Amino acid sequence: MTSHKTAQTMKPATAAKKLGVYLEATPAEFQEGVVSRTEFNTLQADPPEWLRELRRNGPHPRPVVAAKLGVSISGLARGGVTEALTTEQIDALKQEDPEWLRQERATQADVRKEAVRIKEKHAAREAQNDDDARS
């Protein structure tokens, strides 16, 4: 009784998401096929020129755009950014620094501060519980 493993594969959309690129900007053969785990690992370890170019200049998917602008994906939507942007467009937005972007960055900074505060509060509570358990 011999069992043979089938190669683990993923849809192009999943692979593009994991690679941090906008699916619609990838080559047709990438979009139309499936990506095996081996192919995916190769793409990550030794990216072809098209992948390096997409990562460098875009268009970038919304999570990457949000990270480059320092806002949340929801913040992008509130700012009216619903499409993929190129690096050039992102840089232009940073230069323009519209009110919505300043507001969303401030909101994101507040969210991060609150996350740190909660984490420290939980750590202090945990330390107190550990001390109580030892007593």
Side-chain angles (χ1 to χ4, degrees):
M1 188 167 186
T2 315
S3 67
H4 55 314
K5 287 188 171 184
T6 57
Q8 187 179 18
T9 61
M10 62 184 87
K11 294 177 183 177
T14 303
K17 185 176 182 177
K18 289 177 179 252
L19 292 168
V21 295
Y22 186 56
L23 177 63
E24 286 76 10
T26 61
E29 59 271 10
F30 181 85
Q31 293 180 38
E32 294 164 1
V34 294
V35 181
S36 72
R37 178 60 65 184
T38 304
E39 290 169 331
F40 179 77
N41 290 340
T42 301
L43 286 170
Q44 281 195 304
D46 185 23
E49 182 56 34
W50 65 264
L51 181 54
R52 289 194 299 270
E53 180 67 21
L54 277 178
R55 286 178 169 169
R56 188 173 31 252
N57 297 317
H60 302 287
R62 288 181 308 151
V64 174
V65 173
K68 286 179 179 272
L69 291 174
V71 300
S72 67
I73 295 172
S74 299
L76 282 180
R78 285 189 293 271
V81 178
T82 57
E83 299 296 318
L85 299 179
T86 64
T87 300
E88 188 177 309
Q89 291 169 314
I90 293 168
D91 291 343
L93 253 178
K94 286 179 181 178
Q95 288 293 318
E96 187 182 314
D97 199 26
E99 176 60 32
W100 72 265
L101 182 56
R102 288 193 300 274
Q103 179 62 42
E104 290 301 332
R105 284 179 170 167
T107 299
Q108 193 70 4
D110 290 344
V111 167
R112 286 188 192 110
K113 284 180 196 171
E114 181 66 6
V116 168
R117 186 191 70 77
I118 290 170
K119 185 176 180 179
E120 289 171 350
K121 181 179 176 182
H122 286 299
R125 185 179 297 147
E126 203 169 291
Q128 182 64 43
N129 289 344
D130 289 346
D131 288 346
D132 290 347
R134 287 188 196 122
S135 301

